[in-house]
Amino acid sequence: AVGYFWGSAGRGLPHQERERAAELEQQAGAYAQSLVIRTRRSIAETDRLLLLLRHSWASSGARGSLTGTMEAGIFSQQYIAAVAFIDRKGIVVSSTHPHALGRYFGNRPYFGAQQNAAGDHLYLSGPLDGQLTGQEVVGMLRPLLTPDGRFDGIVLINVRPAYFTQHYAEPILGDYGFVAVARSDGAILATPTGDTVEGELTESDGR
C-alpha cells in the first residue's frame, strides 16, 4: 500500500493567522487525498504496462527485446529510468539499459520478494541507488510466470522519485508545508526538496 503524508507549521501564530493556518490545513488535507487518488491511478497504469510487457514476453517465447524501446519513446524518459526482464536465475536477459545485460540481480530484496511471493502481485521496492544510471529509482515489478504458473523471473520498471510527485503543486502547501509518498512499512519513496525530488535510500540495486 502507498499513501501520502503531509504537514505544515502553524503553532505560535496570532489568532487570525491560526485561523488562516487551520483553513490552509483543511485545504492541504483535501489536496493530499487528491494526490493519493492520482498517484494510485498512476501506479495502476504502470502495473498495466508491466502486465502488457509480461504478456509480450510470454507470447514471444521468452525472447522479447527491450533494446531501443526507450529511444523510440515507448517509455516516458521523464519518469522511467530503466525497464528489464530478469530470468529465474536472477540474470538480466533484456533491458533498456545495455550495460545491465548479463548482470546478476538474484540477490536483490525485490527479486527475492517476488520469488517467494504466495501469489501474483505488484511489488514496489524502497528507493534504490541506481549505480548504472547514476540516479535514484524505485522498482515496480511483477513476476514472470511459466505456463503452469511457476516463478520464471521478473519484469521490472525502475521509476524516478519524481514519478510519485508529478501531481505536486507547491502553492497549496505554502513555504512551510511538505508532502511525501511512503509505503505502508514507512519507507519514503519520494518527497520534494527545493527543486529536486528525493527518496530515502533503502538499498543499492546495481542499476
Side-chain angles (χ1 to χ4, degrees):
V2 172
Y4 278 90
F5 64 87
W6 57 272
S8 60
R11 295 182 178 179
L13 297 176
H15 177 69
Q16 288 185 331
E17 293 188 23
R18 285 202 305 273
E19 289 185 343
R20 176 57 178 160
E23 179 183 347
L24 290 175
E25 187 172 349
Q26 289 181 343
Q27 293 177 3
Y31 169 64
Q33 182 60 35
S34 174
L35 281 177
V36 169
I37 294 171
R38 284 180 285 178
T39 299
R40 287 177 175 170
R41 185 179 300 139
S42 295
I43 291 173
E45 290 173 356
T46 302
D47 190 28
R48 284 193 292 271
L49 178 57
L50 285 167
L51 292 171
L52 178 62
L53 287 167
R54 184 172 72 180
H55 176 74
S56 176
W57 176 257
S59 300
S60 68
R63 295 179 180 176
S65 175
L66 293 168
T67 302
T69 52
M70 191 73 79
E71 293 76 8
I74 303 299
F75 306 107
S76 170
Q77 296 189 50
Q78 181 178 3
Y79 298 117
I80 296 178
V83 182
F85 290 111
I86 302 176
D87 68 15
R88 70 173 71 92
K89 297 179 181 178
I91 305 298
V92 178
V93 292
S94 184
S95 176
T96 56
H97 199 297
H99 297 297
L101 292 177
R103 295 194 59 168
Y104 177 68
F105 288 83
N107 59 348
R108 307 302 181 187
Y110 57 77
F111 185 88
Q114 287 289 26
Q115 187 177 38
N116 301 316
D120 178 11
H121 304 290
L122 171 69
Y123 179 83
L124 271 70
S125 75
L128 311 169
D129 181 9
Q131 294 179 356
L132 289 180
T133 61
Q135 300 167 333
E136 186 177 306
V137 296
V138 172
M140 301 178 66
L141 51 147
R142 280 268 184 179
L144 298 174
L145 302 170
T146 63
D148 60 356
R150 290 181 293 114
F151 177 79
D152 202 30
I154 63 171
V155 54
L156 168 71
I157 296 179
N158 277 346
V159 299
R160 311 178 200 281
Y163 168 91
F164 296 101
T165 57
Q166 58 186 292
H167 306 297
Y168 174 74
E170 184 176 353
I172 298 294
L173 297 179
D175 295 334
Y176 303 103
F178 69 90
V179 64
V181 60
R183 296 191 314 192
S184 57
D185 63 0
I188 296 176
L189 301 181
T191 181
T193 302
D195 295 327
T196 64
V197 180
E198 301 174 348
E200 184 176 293
L201 292 177
T202 58
E203 61 177 289
S204 168
D205 75 338
R207 296 182 62 76

